[in-house]
Amino acid sequence: MSAVDLAATKPADVAARTGRTGIRARTARIATGALIALLLLPFVPVLLWSVTRGWFYPAILPPALDLAAWGVVGSPESGIPAAVLRSVGIALGATVLSMLIGVPAGRALGLHAFPGRRWVEALVLAPLVVPPLAVAMGLHAVFLRLGLAGTATGVMIVHLIPTLPYVVLVSASVFSRFDPRVEDQARTLGASRLQVLRHVTVPMLAPGLAVAALFAFLVSWSQYGLTLLVGGGQVPTMPLILNQYVTAGRSDVAAAIALLTVLPGLVALVLSARILARASRRDGEGGR
Amino acid sequence: MPIRFLLSTGLVAAALAAPAAAETVSLPDAALTSAPFETITAAARGQTVNFFLWGGDDRINAYVAGPLAATLKDRYGITLNRIGVADTAEVVNQVLSEKEAGIDAGGAVDLVWINGENFRTLKSGGLLLCGYAEGLPNARHVDWTDPSIANDFGTPVEGCEVPWSRAQFAMAYDSARTPEPPATLAAFLAWVKANPGRFTYAAPPDFNGSAFIRHVFMYAAGGPEALGGPFDQARFDAVAEKAFGILTDLEPFLWREGATYPTDIAQLNALFANSEVDFTFNYEPTVFGAGVEDGRFPPTTRSFAFDDGTLANTSYVAIPFNAAHKAAALVVANHLISPEEQLRKADPAVWGMATALDLDTLPPDAAEAFRALPRHPAVIDGEALADRAMPELSADWLDAIEAGWLRTVGR
Amino acid sequence: MTDVVLEGLTKTYAGASAAAVAAVDLVLASGTLTTLVGPSGCGKSTVLKLIAGLLPPSAGRVLIGGRSMADVPPERRGAVLMGQDHGLFPHMTVEANVGFGLRMRGVDPAAIRRRAGEMLDLVRLSGFETRRPSALSGGQAQRVALARALVVDPAVLLLDEPLSDLDPELRLEMRDLIRSAQRATGITTLFVTHDREEAVAVADRTAVMLAGRIAQQGRPDAVFERPATRAVAAFFGIGNILDARFDGRTAVTALGCLALAADPPPGADAVVIRPERIGVAAEGAAASGGNRCAATVVDLGYRGTHVVATFRADPVTLTAAISSPIAAGLQPGDRVRLHLPAEALHPVTD
């Protein structure tokens, strides 16, 4: 409500109204704050652990600041900087591959009804229902013979098992909400094929497909079992290294690695939330 | 999606997909065990050794990836590739799956830090290179007749692995909380009953928890001699009743009245560090020093061994049957048991793990250097440990005891 | 001012046995609004796509302003399509939607704003510039779509069932808006619909399309009142079709000889009469003259503005739309006399 509106309203009215909206706004703010706190709270001890050592019960606060864990994380001997790059590379590669395969598949599922479509859908969903490790066990033997086991490429390919279903499902829903007739209308309004792609198709599909890509990235990024199995330990990604330190009880280094591991997740979360918020503002209520 | 993004990720993918440098020289297995070591060293030059080892200690990681790798590079032209694992069983599975897939050469694992059950699995499956160990030039510093070297948890080594380090079981306590720890296992059991809730142990199959249970087992048997040799059901049954009786009686006095046990040693360490219990233990007492240094244990942590004896074991490095770079793996294994490298590893500032060498075979000044190594105050004196050393039981005994514990105590 | 000529326009989809559009000849006179009406699936939307250039024809050609469109892409034909579902771009504001066509033509932004504002004014949506399509009602969205189409000053406006998603009142309002905008701008318009009343209400000319062919075209009232074939008659809801043999201006039917007001066209084999043109009188009423027959009331269906009465005049059944007062005196089983005025009887071909 603008100042002009307020000035034009009777004082009592204003008081009542701002009172009500004030309470509602405050409730909303408190709820949002609580949610954020709930999400971030677990990270507080993790953050503290990563910058301290020798922090024992019953001490409430860490005894001293100590950045040794971050030193370990940053040192080339620990292999962690290389693992970050490796994880990013594998996750990006798996994302690109699963988008290349999954988006056309999702488009077919979302736009066209064809015989056997339910079967295809079930097949696409299967990796989410069947434990991926069960599939990967068989794949591992094949990968070994192909020389893909123990390689980053092999790991990237095996990550497609869990990433593809997400990409296919998300892009199927993106395309099912996309009406290709809009492209026709844009053409007749004077847009060339390229202009339609640039001004209509891509802006309409991009947010949904970006979310699909983010899903693929995060799913690949957080893989543990498949990476261990097909990588044979030779492709140490962040979750593998994290596990090494967790099992060893090194909570300081583990915490530092955990923060590094969670970081892209948080970035992706914020990004996708923004993308989705933009999309929902666009779709709004009453939209189709 | 912008073209540029596609391109750049494509490049990353291509870079990751690029195959490792092609194999250069390879010697047949027979030559590896018979050829003069100079030939092997020459063949090894330029090779990369994939060294799989537990990766949960940043000091070990730093040592292997740092000074050790640098020396191997300088001296032999070998690139040491440290591959950390959370559990050595993962490496065993890797070699097993390669065997099943028919990968008889060019396997992923060149060298693995191993002992006990994992060694027995690989050896009994014929999945290790054997017959070379005693022929390594530095093998002359190893006492191969020492039963604790010649047998790895009861499995004869038979030239299938090279000893790297020794370890002995020790108890740790916080001298600020427990000024006078009990000296014998009997006294310790009495202490636990007198201080309810102040002790617990990690449940098998945790490696260290299982070792603690074996101490009780040997105590019940009246000493390690009663359990020596191959597994015998009758002897086991005779001891088991008493041993598990002791542990069952102890249960109400344990942390949370024994309703639950820590599932791994890291949990027990955390309980100890946070003053929930007063003792922890480890098969590798240098861990206590390292733990104080990296903040896992209070600075007042000290360690001790029971007077009635403490288990000792040796850990080794082994080369799988299908290792891609056997010559280089042999050179690395040989270098690992050089007095110079053993001394560096035994330095608490580096790692602090006890040497696997027989100091009597070394020149006096070299032996003296080992004896003169500083000791972390949290770590029990090596000689105090060695005096009380008991040989490990064979793997069959070990399995039976773990299974028995799960059946009777840990239901 | 542009006319559109379709010459032998044919489209056969790959794998289809019959042509979706078969040899359509149609002239859209400059500045007129032509409705193309037919049941769903008759091929009328395909005609729009062929004119717009969104589909290549299998045969025949489209001329806009006398120029063949064979090699002209959709964006350069000046034929703007406006769909059934408004088809607004969901990611753009109302203003950006309206300005889209001008932006694609590289018009300067200030001019786009001005023109978009004028168009929104025309469709009475000033003040909605910054809204998103999702925040519009169905009628508002359709009006924005109309503004978006008109702003580029198209040579031809192609409307594909523009009213079918709207509520009845909105439909009338929108229909009038389209009509007045079309009159004001003089844009040659082809309006596709399946709704018979809509087709004749807004049009300068109406073409009836059945199974891919133009069955009849002409002034709306002519098409409505005087269908050329049985199928067109049936499409316009005329159930009263009597097989006939013609002898001059006399039709010989099952009801006997019926006089006609004009000569039948060659090939005519039936006469039709719209239900509202049948006269009804009591049996004994003093009525004279021809084209009368005795009948029995079978059923009376109240329709609000009128009553649909079904009569049995052996061996045929006739339907008449009669006024309520007349219907009030009737009940099923009553005997009546029906009058089929000569000027309302219309011969049709098969």
Side-chain angles (χ1 to χ4, degrees):
Chain A
M1 188 178 294
S2 75
V4 180
D5 288 341
L6 281 175
T9 338
K10 274 182 260 159
D13 229 27
V14 173
R17 215 187 305 169
T18 47
R20 262 204 311 278
T21 53
I23 289 169
R24 212 178 304 140
R26 211 178 311 142
T27 316
R29 260 203 306 276
I30 290 170
T32 315
L35 189 69
I36 291 172
L38 207 69
L39 286 172
L40 291 184
L41 212 59
F43 291 104
V44 173
V46 175
L47 183 68
L48 287 178
W49 272 326
S50 77
V51 293
T52 190
R53 45 178 52 186
W55 180 22
F56 306 120
Y57 179 86
I60 302 291
L61 290 173
L65 188 72
D66 189 320
L67 294 176
W70 289 100
V72 170
V73 166
S75 79
E77 285 82 15
S78 70
I80 294 170
V84 172
L85 289 180
R86 190 178 294 113
S87 278
V88 169
I90 288 174
L92 281 180
T95 304
V96 170
L97 283 180
S98 47
M99 290 296 279
L100 286 178
I101 303 168
V103 172
R107 188 187 154 93
L109 282 175
L111 284 185
H112 311 294
F114 51 87
R117 183 178 135 160
R118 295 200 145 284
W119 287 101
V120 175
E121 275 173 345
L123 203 70
V124 166
L125 281 172
L128 296 181
V129 185
V130 183
L133 271 179
V135 184
M137 292 294 256
L139 212 57
H140 185 214
V142 179
F143 274 32
L144 274 170
R145 278 187 212 105
L146 292 176
L148 282 171
T151 67
T153 312
V155 169
M156 198 190 304
I157 292 172
V158 83
H159 280 189
L160 296 182
I161 296 176
T163 59
L164 261 180
Y166 288 100
V167 171
V168 173
L169 284 181
V170 173
S171 40
S173 91
V174 167
F175 280 106
S176 70
R177 283 181 296 144
F178 178 77
D179 185 349
R181 287 177 301 186
V182 171
E183 296 175 322
D184 284 352
Q185 302 203 4
R187 281 305 293 284
T188 68
L189 284 165
S192 66
R193 260 176 217 289
L194 223 65
Q195 281 177 316
V196 170
L197 199 66
R198 181 163 158 229
H199 295 284
V200 178
T201 316
V202 168
M204 280 178 71
L205 295 177
L209 296 185
V211 169
L214 283 171
F215 269 26
F217 185 90
L218 285 182
V219 168
S220 164
W221 177 268
S222 58
Q223 281 305 306
Y224 177 79
L226 292 177
T227 311
L228 181 63
L229 181 75
V230 168
Q234 301 159 79
V235 188
T237 54
M238 290 301 277
L240 263 64
I241 293 195
L242 176 61
N243 189 47
Q244 286 171 21
Y245 282 95
V246 168
T247 54
R250 278 303 296 276
S251 41
D252 58 338
V253 179
I257 298 174
L259 287 175
L260 274 186
T261 310
V262 162
L263 206 65
L266 282 179
V267 171
L269 196 74
V270 171
L271 275 181
S272 60
R274 280 180 152 201
I275 291 167
L276 287 175
R278 217 166 56 198
S280 75
R281 227 184 304 132
R282 198 182 72 201
D283 290 347
E285 60 268 38
R288 29 169 287 109
Chain B
M1 191 171 297
I3 302 283
R4 205 150 22 111
F5 173 72
L6 277 173
L7 267 182
S8 57
T9 50
L11 286 177
V12 172
L16 288 164
E23 193 56 28
T24 46
V25 192
S26 81
L27 294 172
D29 282 6
L32 288 170
T33 51
S34 59
F37 206 69
E38 292 73 35
T39 315
I40 295 170
T41 312
R45 191 162 285 279
Q47 290 188 345
T48 294
V49 170
N50 289 320
F51 186 13
F52 283 64
L53 72 167
W54 179 71
D57 187 330
D58 53 290
R59 291 181 330 135
I60 303 178
N61 296 347
Y63 160 67
V64 172
L68 177 61
T71 304
L72 289 167
K73 187 83 186 174
D74 287 351
R75 204 166 296 172
Y76 305 104
I78 291 172
T79 305
L80 187 68
N81 184 24
R82 180 187 77 82
I83 295 165
V85 293
D87 184 340
T88 307
E90 291 166 15
V91 186
V92 174
N93 285 336
Q94 170 75 23
V95 178
L96 278 171
S97 4
E98 288 179 359
K99 171 77 178 176
E100 277 162 25
I103 313 271
D104 290 337
V109 186
D110 291 318
L111 197 66
V112 55
W113 183 23
I114 199 168
N115 73 357
E117 176 69 17
N118 290 321
F119 171 65
R120 186 175 62 154
T121 306
L122 288 183
K123 184 179 177 234
S124 64
L127 302 177
L128 290 176
L129 182 69
C130 288
Y132 61 90
E134 291 170 45
L136 295 175
N138 286 326
R140 65 178 187 276
H141 302 303
V142 175
D143 180 3
W144 296 95
T145 62
D146 180 344
S148 71
I149 295 275
N151 294 293
D152 182 349
F153 283 81
T155 305
V157 168
E158 292 171 341
C160 299
E161 55 181 358
V162 176
W164 192 19
S165 299
R166 279 184 204 269
Q168 265 182 282
F169 190 89
M171 302 290 294
Y173 65 103
D174 184 348
S175 58
R177 274 183 264 156
T178 319
E180 288 287 329
T184 64
L185 190 57
F188 181 75
L189 296 174
W191 185 95
V192 172
K193 290 186 176 173
N195 297 276
R198 302 302 301 168
F199 176 71
T200 189
Y201 52 95
D206 177 77
F207 178 71
N208 290 288
S210 176
F212 175 79
I213 293 167
R214 286 200 295 284
H215 280 89
V216 176
F217 217 81
M218 292 170 120
Y219 162 75
E225 301 76 23
L227 304 175
F231 180 72
D232 180 288
Q233 188 67 44
R235 279 196 292 156
F236 174 80
D237 292 342
V239 181
E241 196 183 336
K242 190 179 173 198
F244 294 136
I246 293 172
L247 290 172
T248 307
D249 289 346
L250 205 60
E251 205 162 49
F253 302 98
L254 295 180
W255 175 75
R256 293 196 182 163
E257 294 171 347
T260 155
Y261 290 83
T263 53
D264 60 38
I265 195 65
Q267 287 185 24
L268 179 61
N269 287 341
L271 289 177
F272 167 70
N274 292 310
S275 301
E276 287 200 67
V277 297
D278 287 332
F279 293 92
T280 184
F281 43 73
N282 208 286
Y283 217 141
E284 218 284 75
T286 61
V287 162
F288 304 132
V292 168
E293 290 311 307
D294 63 32
R296 271 179 298 156
F297 293 125
T300 42
T301 300
R302 296 292 178 268
S303 50
F304 70 102
F306 294 129
D307 286 345
D308 16 2
T310 189
L311 286 168
N313 80 63
T314 305
S315 60
Y316 303 78
V317 290
I319 303 171
F321 77 109
N322 64 351
H325 312 102
K326 284 179 186 148
L330 282 173
V331 173
V332 173
N334 182 56
H335 177 74
L336 288 178
I337 52 169
S338 65
E340 157 207 7
E341 198 60 62
Q342 285 276 318
L343 181 66
R344 176 153 74 180
K345 172 176 64 84
D347 184 346
V350 177
W351 177 355
M353 189 101 178
T355 181
L357 301 184
D358 178 1
L359 296 188
D360 295 343
T361 65
L362 300 181
D365 54 332
E368 188 50 38
F370 278 94
R371 296 196 178 95
L373 279 174
R375 180 173 63 82
H376 193 282
V379 182
I380 184 174
D381 171 25
E383 279 175 59
L385 264 182
D387 293 346
R388 296 168 172 81
M390 295 190 292
E392 259 297 358
L393 302 179
S394 78
D396 295 330
W397 281 100
L398 213 137
D399 291 346
I401 292 171
E402 284 189 5
W405 185 88
L406 288 171
R407 210 167 45 242
T408 55
V409 185
R411 279 161 316 190
Chain C
M1 291 292 185
T2 322
D3 62 351
V4 176
V5 179
L6 311 185
E7 288 180 356
L9 198 61
T10 301
K11 178 68 188 178
T12 309
Y13 287 106
S17 55
V21 172
V24 164
D25 292 310
L26 189 64
V27 175
L28 311 180
S30 182
T32 62
L33 191 157
T34 304
T35 49
L36 183 60
V37 65
S40 40
C42 72
K44 48 194 196 303
S45 292
T46 304
V47 171
L48 289 191
K49 287 188 175 174
L50 290 168
I51 298 174
L54 296 167
L55 282 175
S58 309
R61 56 180 192 156
V62 175
L63 298 116
I64 298 179
R67 210 174 124 224
S68 167
M69 292 288 119
D71 295 316
V72 182
E75 64 269 25
R76 292 219 296 273
R77 292 192 176 197
V80 172
L81 180 67
M82 179 179 152
Q84 163 174 9
D85 148 36
H86 58 75
L88 294 182
F89 307 125
H91 57 294
M92 296 179 195
T93 59
V94 164
E95 186 176 50
N97 262 285
V98 175
F100 180 82
L102 297 177
R103 209 158 63 248
M104 294 304 108
R105 286 164 173 76
V107 175
D108 138 74
I112 294 179
R113 283 184 80 89
R114 201 184 59 244
R115 292 277 292 134
E118 288 167 13
M119 280 303 146
L120 284 172
D121 218 26
L122 182 76
V123 299
R124 301 191 296 276
L125 279 175
S126 296
F128 282 68
E129 283 82 354
T130 57
R131 293 243 192 141
R132 297 269 170 179
S134 55
L136 299 177
S137 72
Q140 291 168 340
Q142 203 57 286
R143 271 143 68 195
V144 174
L146 182 63
R148 180 178 69 172
L150 295 177
V151 81
V152 298
D153 197 11
V156 189
L157 184 58
L158 305 168
L159 304 172
D160 191 359
E161 304 265 9
L163 312 178
S164 61
D165 268 4
L166 304 179
D167 299 334
E169 322 85 86
L170 270 177
R171 194 179 300 186
L172 286 180
E173 195 187 320
M174 187 69 197
R175 192 178 79 186
D176 293 344
L177 181 65
I178 289 174
R179 189 52 169 147
S180 60
Q182 193 270 335
R183 286 221 171 96
T185 56
I187 296 170
T188 309
T189 300
L190 183 58
F191 184 128
V192 157
T193 178
H194 67 275
D195 185 303
R196 303 172 294 222
E197 277 81 50
E198 204 168 280
V200 295
V202 297
D204 295 315
R205 286 182 69 83
T206 293
V208 183
M209 192 164 187
L210 298 171
R213 293 173 186 280
I214 302 289
Q216 188 176 359
Q217 53 177 307
R219 285 167 42 122
D221 54 341
V223 173
F224 193 76
E225 297 284 341
R226 295 186 292 280
T229 66
R230 289 168 181 251
V232 174
F235 176 73
F236 278 105
I238 305 175
N240 304 321
I241 302 177
L242 304 171
D243 292 335
R245 199 158 46 72
F246 294 92
D247 181 10
R249 290 190 174 184
T250 302
V252 183
T253 71
L255 292 178
C257 291
L258 297 170
L260 303 175
D263 290 322
D269 65 354
V271 287
V272 302
I273 181 166
R274 290 205 62 84
E276 57 274 17
R277 302 297 298 274
I278 296 180
V280 181
E283 191 176 26
S288 57
N291 291 6
R292 285 169 208 273
C293 64
T296 310
V297 178
V298 176
D299 186 41
L300 295 163
Y302 185 62
R303 292 287 184 278
T305 56
H306 62 277
V307 173
V308 174
T310 312
F311 300 98
R312 184 71 192 162
D314 275 324
V316 299
T317 300
L318 293 172
T319 307
I322 57 179
S323 67
S324 302
I326 294 177
L330 295 176
Q331 53 186 355
D334 286 358
R335 301 282 299 167
V336 294
R337 286 191 70 77
L338 299 180
H339 180 214
L340 313 177
E343 64 279 11
L345 276 174
H346 179 64
V348 296
T349 58
D350 187 25

